[in-house]
Amino acid sequence: MISEQLVDLSRLQFAATALYHFLFVPLTIGMVWILVIMESVYVMTGNVIWKDMTRFWGKLFGINFALGVTTGITLEFQFGTNWAYYSHYVGDIFGAPLAIEGLMAFFLESTMIGLFFFGWDRLSKTQHLMVTLLMAVGTNLSALWILIANGWMQNPVGAEFSYQTMRMEMTDFWAVVFNPDAQAKFVHTVSAGYATGSMFVLSISSWYLLKKRDVEFAKRSFRVAAAFGLASVLSVIVLGDESGYTVGEAQQTKMAALEAMWETKPAPAPLTLVASINETEQKNNWEVEIPWVMGLIGTRSVSKEIPGIHEIKAKNRERIVRGIVAVNALEVLRTNRDDAIAKRTFETHKADLGFGLLLKKYVVDVNTATPEIIERAVNDTVPRVTPMFWAFRLMVGLGFAMLLLFGLAFWSTLKSACMQKPWLLKAALWMLPAPWLACELGWFVAEYGRQPWTIYGVLPTHLSVSTLSVNSLYGSLAGFITFYTVLLVVEMFLMVKFARMGPGSLGTGRYDQEPQIA
């Protein structure tokens, strides 16, 4: 059996690299469309200040993009190095969208970025705008295919297990592509990226306005960021509701954990605002609820119930017992693919194969699982409730705080009064970290909430890892954290340096703090 320490270290290493990578991704996704907006205004009006805005914010975008690529490549290699059995088991399905992302999206994105930076004096205004637009399309296509892969991990449609190859095989490519979970995750994630890019531009522009430098440049940037940010954060909230609905359909365990819903409540279920969670006794000591709201979000109806954790565990207990039958039939088919009785038995119970495999964490032979071991496997099917519950609420709280800020900022631009409200500019500056924190919390809720599965309901995490030594994992984990921390420090140094220089770093002679020429 795989040691629990090996599994935990493999998970921690992937989580650390993913969290670092996701510090860069939302800003890349968000800023690229702001560049499209600014350059479009330049092409339509011919006003050179909009070109300078595109070039300056594009410089900060380029620094972030370079670091995002550096941290992202490692993640794909980890599927082979740290999660070899996972790659073998589901590689036919999971590998397809990742390969398409590299061939279709990343090559387009990286090519257009080169033309964006080096094509200003070689392309016409319209041609360069098309480059910027294609760069934005490539960035979003990259996110699309990666989230299609991740969405399949959350809701494995269009595939089934084959006892002939002992692997998952794709049966419907288009079902994978149009997976409701993947589509909901895509629009929600890119909208969060748009809000991140908007907050970045809004905060730095606010700093310029507080310093009363490059005022016309900053006011225009502030206006674009406020409008785009307001639309984006509204999309995040609306599409987050859609994402909640897909979770309620495909991952009822995650939904119950997010709501600390221990018991099934009469439909439509209430939304729990805050609660005192007692995981030891599996109940809430007290809770504050809003009637009906959770039922409407999770089921889109007033009559359909959302099952509680205790009901889900009871169903999972039955699935684990049926899964033992599936595992036994599969063991027979390993030695004799033509055993008709084993085939029929496996086909009857194969939907519960993954639940039977949960027992492999504790016993080599699932037939030796005692009622106590089965109960431990049942408890494993629900992630810890407290971190899920509070991470989700902090994420939502940050989302509504950003909605308020963007709304006030947009209103101030309509009144041409943003410079008359220093408190608003200071609030925008202090809110700079908010979208990153919200994005990281969203990632945590999505991925931790999927446990104990790498592929929800199909492949347990403890069976997915490579056979590695614990010492090698400690060494590589330390190496990744050290290297990525250095990259993060470099990025922050460069971002702060050029943000402080402002548009004067372009050397056009039109802005404050132009570099001195000897």
Side-chain angles (χ1 to χ4, degrees), residues 36-302:
V36 171
I37 294 170
M38 290 175 174
E39 190 167 0
S40 297
V41 177
Y42 164 61
V43 170
M44 289 186 291
T45 66
N47 189 341
V48 72
I49 194 172
W50 290 96
K51 177 182 178 181
D52 293 341
M53 289 164 62
T54 308
R55 290 180 60 204
F56 171 70
W57 295 113
K59 183 181 294 188
L60 298 180
F61 164 82
I63 295 168
N64 184 77
F65 176 81
L67 274 295
V69 170
T70 304
T71 55
I73 291 173
T74 309
L75 284 174
E76 295 198 15
F77 280 109
Q78 283 189 356
F79 290 119
T81 57
N82 292 57
W83 302 93
Y85 190 72
Y86 167 86
S87 299
H88 164 77
Y89 200 80
V90 301
D92 286 355
I93 308 105
F94 189 78
L98 292 186
I100 295 171
E101 185 270 334
L103 294 171
M104 175 193 290
F106 182 70
F107 285 168
L108 172 64
E109 181 185 21
S110 55
T111 300
M112 292 303 115
I113 281 178
L115 289 172
F116 174 84
F117 285 107
F118 300 107
W120 284 105
D121 299 324
R122 295 172 176 83
L123 301 171
S124 68
K125 291 194 296 185
T126 304
Q127 288 172 334
H128 196 277
L129 174 60
M130 288 305 300
V131 165
T132 308
L133 180 61
L134 288 172
M135 181 173 71
V137 170
T139 299
N140 282 257
L141 280 177
S142 182
L144 172 65
W145 288 107
I146 289 171
L147 290 169
I148 284 173
N150 184 265
W152 184 79
M153 296 171 69
Q154 310 283 347
N155 182 22
V157 297
E160 65 179 22
F161 182 82
S162 169
Y163 64 84
Q164 297 287 349
T165 61
M166 295 293 170
R167 304 168 66 190
M168 292 292 292
E169 293 184 351
M170 188 181 297
T171 58
D172 188 343
F173 174 75
W174 295 111
V176 175
V177 171
F178 293 107
N179 182 350
D181 274 68
Q183 300 303 316
K185 284 175 72 68
F186 169 69
V187 292
H188 184 59
T189 302
V190 296
S191 296
Y194 301 160
T196 304
S198 300
M199 185 64 73
F200 181 77
V201 174
L202 188 80
S203 297
I204 296 176
S205 300
S206 297
W207 187 74
Y208 295 149
L209 293 173
L210 285 168
K211 296 291 184 180
K212 295 183 171 56
R213 39 172 296 210
D214 301 313
V215 170
E216 291 305 314
F217 181 98
K219 285 171 68 174
R220 285 172 170 82
S221 298
F222 186 97
R223 188 176 298 119
V224 170
F228 190 59
L230 179 59
S232 299
V233 78
L234 284 170
S235 297
V236 170
I237 293 170
V238 172
L239 297 169
D241 170 72
E242 180 63 25
S243 185
Y245 174 69
T246 59
V247 168
E249 290 288 299
Q251 293 181 300
Q252 292 181 336
T253 307
K254 182 187 290 186
M255 177 65 77
L258 285 173
E259 288 303 304
M261 189 182 294
W262 301 99
E263 304 288 347
T264 302
K265 298 181 180 180
L271 172 71
T272 304
L273 279 179
V274 292
S276 172
I277 300 168
N278 186 336
E279 295 208 47
T280 303
E281 298 182 18
Q282 298 192 7
K283 68 176 186 179
N284 296 334
N285 296 326
W286 55 263
E287 54 195 14
V288 178
E289 298 177 335
I290 304 177
W292 286 40
V293 174
M294 195 64 244
L296 297 175
I297 293 174
T299 67
R300 296 286 196 272
S301 76
V302 295

Side-chain angles (χ1 to χ4, degrees), residues 481-496:
I481 291 177
T482 301
F483 179 59
Y484 281 8
T485 301
V486 170
L487 292 180
L488 182 60
V489 171
V490 169
E491 153 128 347
M492 294 183 69
F493 170 78
L494 293 173
M495 286 291 202
V496 170

Side-chain angles (χ1 to χ4, degrees), residues 430-473:
W430 282 106
M431 280 289 284
L432 177 59
W436 277 274
L437 181 56
C439 286
E440 298 285 2
L441 289 167
W443 180 91
F444 172 82
V445 166
E447 302 308 306
Y448 182 75
R450 192 183 64 242
Q451 294 305 315
W453 310 99
T454 45
I455 307 298
Y456 190 79
V458 172
L459 181 64
T461 303
H462 70 271
L463 291 181
S464 305
V465 297
S466 304
T467 305
L468 300 170
S469 71
V470 169
N471 287 336
S472 69
L473 279 172

